[in-house]
Amino acid sequence: GQQLNQSPQSMFIQEGEDVSMNCTSSSIFNTWLWYKQDPGEGPVLLIALYKAGELTSNGRLTAQFGITRKDSFLNISASIPSDVGIYFCAGLWQGAQKLVFGQGTRLTINP
Amino acid sequence: GAVVSQHPSRVICKSGTSVKIECRSLDFQATTMFWYRQFPKQSLMLMATSNEGSKATYEQGVEKDKFLINHASLTLSTLTVTSAHPEDSSFYICSARGTGTGGDGNTIYFGEGSWLTVV
Protein backbone atom coordinates (compact mmCIF):
# COMPACT_ATOMS: atom_id res chain seq x y z
CA GLY A 1 0.00 0.00 0.00
CA GLN A 2 0.87 3.64 -0.11
CA GLN A 3 3.50 4.84 2.35
CA LEU A 4 5.16 8.00 3.42
CA ASN A 5 8.92 8.25 3.16
CA GLN A 6 10.21 8.44 6.69
CA SER A 7 13.85 8.96 7.55
CA PRO A 8 16.09 7.98 9.04
CA GLN A 9 15.07 4.36 9.47
CA SER A 10 17.17 4.05 12.59
CA MET A 11 19.17 6.27 14.89
CA PHE A 12 21.79 5.48 17.50
CA ILE A 13 22.47 8.43 19.77
CA GLN A 14 23.91 9.32 23.14
CA GLU A 15 21.64 10.25 26.00
CA GLY A 16 21.13 14.00 26.06
CA GLU A 17 21.42 14.49 22.32
CA ASP A 18 18.71 16.03 20.21
CA VAL A 19 16.89 13.93 17.62
CA SER A 20 15.28 14.88 14.34
CA MET A 21 13.26 12.76 11.96
CA ASN A 22 11.03 13.61 9.04
CA CYS A 23 8.44 12.35 6.62
CA THR A 24 7.83 13.37 3.05
CA SER A 25 5.15 12.56 0.54
CA SER A 26 4.31 13.25 -3.08
CA SER A 27 0.72 13.86 -2.00
CA ILE A 28 -0.75 16.75 -0.05
CA PHE A 29 -2.02 15.92 3.42
CA ASN A 30 -4.34 17.91 5.63
CA THR A 31 -3.41 16.09 8.84
CA TRP A 32 -0.10 14.79 10.12
CA LEU A 33 0.13 12.57 13.18
CA TRP A 34 3.21 11.38 15.02
CA TYR A 35 3.13 8.19 17.10
CA LYS A 36 5.57 6.30 19.31
CA GLN A 37 5.39 2.55 19.64
CA ASP A 38 7.09 0.60 22.40
CA PRO A 39 7.78 -3.12 21.88
CA GLY A 40 4.65 -5.22 22.14
CA GLU A 41 2.32 -2.25 22.51
CA GLY A 42 0.08 -0.17 20.30
CA PRO A 43 1.17 3.22 18.94
CA VAL A 44 0.64 6.17 21.25
CA LEU A 45 -0.24 9.54 19.75
CA LEU A 46 2.44 12.16 20.44
CA ILE A 47 1.46 15.15 18.37
CA ALA A 48 -1.32 15.96 15.91
CA LEU A 49 -0.96 18.68 13.26
CA TYR A 50 -3.89 20.10 11.31
CA LYS A 51 -2.66 23.22 9.52
CA ALA A 52 0.15 23.91 7.10
CA GLY A 53 2.98 25.64 8.92
CA GLU A 54 1.69 24.59 12.33
CA LEU A 55 4.39 24.08 14.94
CA THR A 56 3.31 22.15 18.02
CA SER A 57 5.19 21.07 21.12
CA ASN A 58 4.54 18.34 23.65
CA GLY A 59 7.16 18.56 26.37
CA ARG A 60 10.53 17.87 24.76
CA LEU A 61 8.88 16.98 21.48
CA THR A 62 8.24 19.46 18.69
CA ALA A 63 6.62 18.72 15.35
CA GLN A 64 5.85 20.87 12.36
CA PHE A 65 3.43 20.58 9.47
CA GLY A 66 5.33 21.63 6.36
CA ILE A 67 4.19 24.66 4.40
CA THR A 68 3.86 22.60 1.24
CA ARG A 69 1.66 20.10 3.17
CA LYS A 70 3.85 17.33 1.82
CA ASP A 71 6.18 16.93 4.76
CA SER A 72 6.49 17.00 8.52
CA PHE A 73 9.29 16.69 11.04
CA LEU A 74 9.55 15.61 14.65
CA ASN A 75 12.30 16.80 16.97
CA ILE A 76 13.13 15.42 20.40
CA SER A 77 15.35 17.55 22.58
CA ALA A 78 17.69 16.28 25.31
CA SER A 79 16.90 12.62 24.76
CA ILE A 80 16.43 10.31 27.73
CA PRO A 81 16.39 6.50 27.93
CA SER A 82 12.59 6.27 27.86
CA ASP A 83 12.58 7.89 24.42
CA VAL A 84 13.75 4.57 23.00
CA GLY A 85 11.19 3.09 20.64
CA ILE A 86 9.85 3.30 17.12
CA TYR A 87 8.40 6.57 15.91
CA PHE A 88 5.86 6.60 13.09
CA CYS A 89 4.53 9.49 11.09
CA ALA A 90 1.08 9.14 9.59
CA GLY A 91 -0.96 11.32 7.31
CA LEU A 92 -4.51 11.86 6.19
CA TRP A 93 -5.44 13.64 3.00
CA GLN A 94 -8.62 15.52 2.24
CA GLY A 95 -11.64 13.25 2.41
CA ALA A 96 -9.63 10.16 3.22
CA GLN A 97 -10.56 7.74 5.95
CA LYS A 98 -7.35 5.75 6.12
CA LEU A 99 -4.04 6.74 7.64
CA VAL A 100 -0.95 6.42 5.50
CA PHE A 101 2.07 5.41 7.57
CA GLY A 102 5.76 6.02 7.33
CA GLN A 103 8.11 3.08 7.67
CA GLY A 104 9.11 4.10 11.17
CA THR A 105 12.27 5.41 12.81
CA ARG A 106 13.84 3.12 15.39
CA LEU A 107 15.54 5.18 18.09
CA THR A 108 18.26 3.62 20.24
CA ILE A 109 19.93 5.59 23.02
CA ASN A 110 23.31 4.75 24.46
CA PRO A 111 23.58 5.71 28.12
CA GLY B 1 -6.21 12.19 24.95
CA ALA B 2 -8.89 9.75 23.88
CA VAL B 3 -8.64 6.15 25.05
CA VAL B 4 -9.01 3.07 22.92
CA SER B 5 -8.93 -0.28 24.68
CA GLN B 6 -8.37 -3.71 23.22
CA HIS B 7 -9.17 -7.05 24.77
CA PRO B 8 -7.63 -9.51 25.19
CA SER B 9 -4.07 -8.25 25.15
CA ARG B 10 -2.79 -11.79 24.64
CA VAL B 11 -4.59 -14.90 23.48
CA ILE B 12 -3.48 -18.39 22.59
CA CYS B 13 -5.84 -20.58 20.61
CA LYS B 14 -5.74 -23.97 18.97
CA SER B 15 -5.50 -24.29 15.22
CA GLY B 16 -8.94 -24.48 13.66
CA THR B 17 -10.75 -22.54 16.34
CA SER B 18 -12.02 -18.97 16.18
CA VAL B 19 -10.95 -16.10 18.37
CA LYS B 20 -12.53 -12.68 18.91
CA ILE B 21 -10.71 -9.46 19.68
CA GLU B 22 -12.60 -6.44 20.94
CA CYS B 23 -11.80 -2.78 20.39
CA ARG B 24 -13.57 -0.14 22.45
CA SER B 25 -13.42 3.63 22.43
CA LEU B 26 -13.80 4.47 26.10
CA ASP B 27 -14.42 8.20 26.17
CA PHE B 28 -15.54 9.13 22.69
CA GLN B 29 -17.75 7.88 19.92
CA ALA B 30 -15.97 6.36 16.97
CA THR B 31 -17.78 6.30 13.67
CA THR B 32 -14.83 4.64 12.05
CA MET B 33 -12.51 1.97 13.41
CA PHE B 34 -9.55 0.38 11.73
CA TRP B 35 -7.91 -2.99 12.16
CA TYR B 36 -4.21 -3.48 11.54
CA ARG B 37 -1.81 -6.33 11.60
CA GLN B 38 1.83 -5.80 12.42
CA PHE B 39 4.71 -8.14 11.69
CA PRO B 40 7.95 -7.90 13.66
CA LYS B 41 10.02 -4.82 12.88
CA GLN B 42 7.54 -3.61 10.29
CA SER B 43 5.02 -0.83 10.05
CA LEU B 44 1.32 -1.36 10.54
CA MET B 45 -0.58 -3.07 7.74
CA LEU B 46 -4.19 -1.98 7.39
CA MET B 47 -6.56 -4.93 7.16
CA ALA B 48 -9.96 -3.28 7.09
CA THR B 49 -11.97 -0.17 7.85
CA SER B 50 -15.23 -0.52 9.69
CA ASN B 51 -17.96 2.07 9.89
CA GLU B 52 -20.64 1.81 12.52
CA GLY B 53 -23.70 0.03 11.22
CA SER B 54 -22.28 -0.94 7.85
CA LYS B 55 -20.08 -3.62 6.35
CA ALA B 56 -16.36 -3.35 6.73
CA THR B 57 -14.17 -2.39 3.80
CA TYR B 58 -11.30 -4.82 3.43
CA GLU B 59 -7.90 -4.09 1.97
CA GLN B 60 -6.73 -6.03 -1.03
CA GLY B 61 -5.50 -9.47 -0.10
CA VAL B 62 -7.34 -9.66 3.22
CA GLU B 63 -9.88 -12.49 3.37
CA LYS B 64 -13.14 -11.08 4.65
CA ASP B 65 -14.53 -14.53 5.48
CA LYS B 66 -11.52 -15.27 7.61
CA PHE B 67 -11.28 -11.95 9.39
CA LEU B 68 -14.83 -11.05 10.36
CA ILE B 69 -15.34 -7.48 11.51
CA ASN B 70 -18.39 -6.16 13.27
CA HIS B 71 -18.91 -2.53 14.28
CA ALA B 72 -22.26 -2.74 16.03
CA SER B 73 -22.04 0.44 18.06
CA LEU B 74 -20.17 3.74 18.13
CA THR B 75 -17.87 2.42 20.83
CA LEU B 76 -17.22 -1.20 19.89
CA SER B 77 -15.72 -3.06 16.97
CA THR B 78 -14.77 -6.73 16.99
CA LEU B 79 -12.36 -8.74 14.86
CA THR B 80 -12.95 -12.48 14.72
CA VAL B 81 -10.25 -14.67 13.28
CA THR B 82 -12.06 -17.75 12.05
CA SER B 83 -10.52 -21.18 11.64
CA ALA B 84 -7.23 -19.83 12.87
CA HIS B 85 -3.95 -21.22 11.60
CA PRO B 86 -0.43 -20.75 12.94
CA GLU B 87 0.32 -18.26 10.15
CA ASP B 88 -2.41 -16.02 11.60
CA SER B 89 -0.27 -15.55 14.69
CA SER B 90 0.52 -11.86 14.84
CA PHE B 91 0.05 -8.57 16.64
CA TYR B 92 -3.35 -7.09 15.84
CA ILE B 93 -4.03 -3.43 16.57
CA CYS B 94 -7.22 -1.43 16.28
CA SER B 95 -7.64 2.30 16.02
CA ALA B 96 -10.61 4.61 16.23
CA ARG B 97 -11.46 7.93 14.68
CA GLY B 98 -13.57 10.42 16.57
CA THR B 99 -16.78 11.99 15.39
CA GLY B 100 -15.76 15.55 16.14
CA THR B 101 -15.58 18.15 13.42
CA GLY B 102 -12.42 20.02 12.61
CA GLY B 103 -9.14 18.71 13.93
CA ASP B 104 -10.46 16.19 16.41
CA GLY B 105 -12.33 14.33 13.72
CA ASN B 106 -9.02 13.76 11.98
CA THR B 107 -7.23 12.36 15.00
CA ILE B 108 -6.91 8.62 15.25
CA TYR B 109 -6.12 6.80 18.47
CA PHE B 110 -4.77 3.29 18.77
CA GLY B 111 -5.52 0.45 21.12
CA GLU B 112 -2.83 -1.37 23.03
CA GLY B 113 -2.74 -4.25 20.58
CA SER B 114 -3.53 -7.93 20.91
CA TRP B 115 -1.02 -10.72 20.54
CA LEU B 116 -2.53 -13.78 18.91
CA THR B 117 -0.69 -17.08 19.01
CA VAL B 118 -2.21 -20.03 17.18
CA VAL B 119 -0.81 -23.40 18.23
Side-chain angles (χ1 to χ4, degrees):
Chain A
Q2 204 169 356
Q3 278 193 320
L4 299 173
N5 294 315
Q6 184 172 349
S7 65
Q9 292 187 12
S10 59
M11 301 183 73
F12 298 85
I13 63 168
Q14 297 294 123
E15 183 177 350
E17 288 185 18
D18 296 342
V19 172
S20 184
M21 60 192 76
N22 69 84
C23 277
T24 60
S25 170
S26 57
S27 304
I28 290 176
F29 288 92
N30 67 340
T31 300
W32 284 94
L33 306 170
W34 284 93
Y35 295 90
K36 177 175 183 270
Q37 186 176 26
D38 291 326
E41 299 183 14
V44 174
L45 181 67
L46 300 175
I47 293 178
L49 302 162
Y50 304 111
K51 295 180 182 178
E54 181 179 355
L55 183 70
T56 299
S57 293
N58 178 7
R60 293 178 295 105
L61 278 61
T62 302
Q64 184 160 30
F65 192 144
I67 289 290
T68 65
R69 296 169 64 190
K70 293 183 178 181
D71 63 310
S72 176
F73 72 74
L74 174 70
N75 288 342
I76 305 173
S77 63
S79 59
I80 59 177
S82 61
D83 292 334
V84 167
I86 302 177
Y87 292 80
F88 289 102
C89 65
L92 275 171
W93 65 88
Q94 187 78 23
Q97 275 197 322
K98 302 181 291 189
L99 278 178
V100 177
F101 277 92
Q103 302 94 329
T105 296
R106 183 180 296 271
L107 179 62
T108 303
I109 298 176
N110 300 315
Chain B
V3 178
V4 176
S5 179
Q6 264 182 259
H7 177 81
S9 57
R10 290 183 180 273
V11 58
I12 300 173
C13 71
K14 290 186 176 181
S15 187
T17 63
S18 296
V19 60
K20 181 187 289 186
I21 301 171
E22 293 185 347
C23 178
R24 294 181 184 273
S25 56
L26 298 186
D27 53 358
F28 68 103
Q29 293 184 324
T31 52
T32 307
M33 289 185 168
F34 307 87
W35 286 96
Y36 295 83
R37 186 172 178 176
Q38 188 175 31
F39 294 100
K41 298 186 178 181
Q42 293 188 22
S43 188
L44 287 76
M45 182 188 78
L46 181 65
M47 298 174 66
T49 302
S50 74
N51 292 298
E52 186 263 339
S54 62
K55 290 183 179 180
T57 302
Y58 290 82
E59 295 299 300
Q60 194 171 10
V62 178
E63 298 176 61
K64 62 180 181 181
D65 294 330
K66 180 167 187 61
F67 298 100
L68 300 178
I69 291 172
N70 183 277
H71 192 161
S73 75
L74 285 173
T75 59
L76 174 64
S77 176
T78 59
L79 168 68
T80 301
V81 182
T82 63
S83 187
H85 290 282
E87 56 265 30
D88 298 327
S89 299
S90 191
F91 190 49
Y92 293 88
I93 312 173
C94 73
S95 67
R97 183 173 183 175
T99 58
T101 57
D104 286 351
N106 277 348
T107 301
I108 296 176
Y109 299 92
F110 284 84
E112 312 95 324
S114 298
W115 284 101
L116 170 63
T117 302
V118 184
V119 298

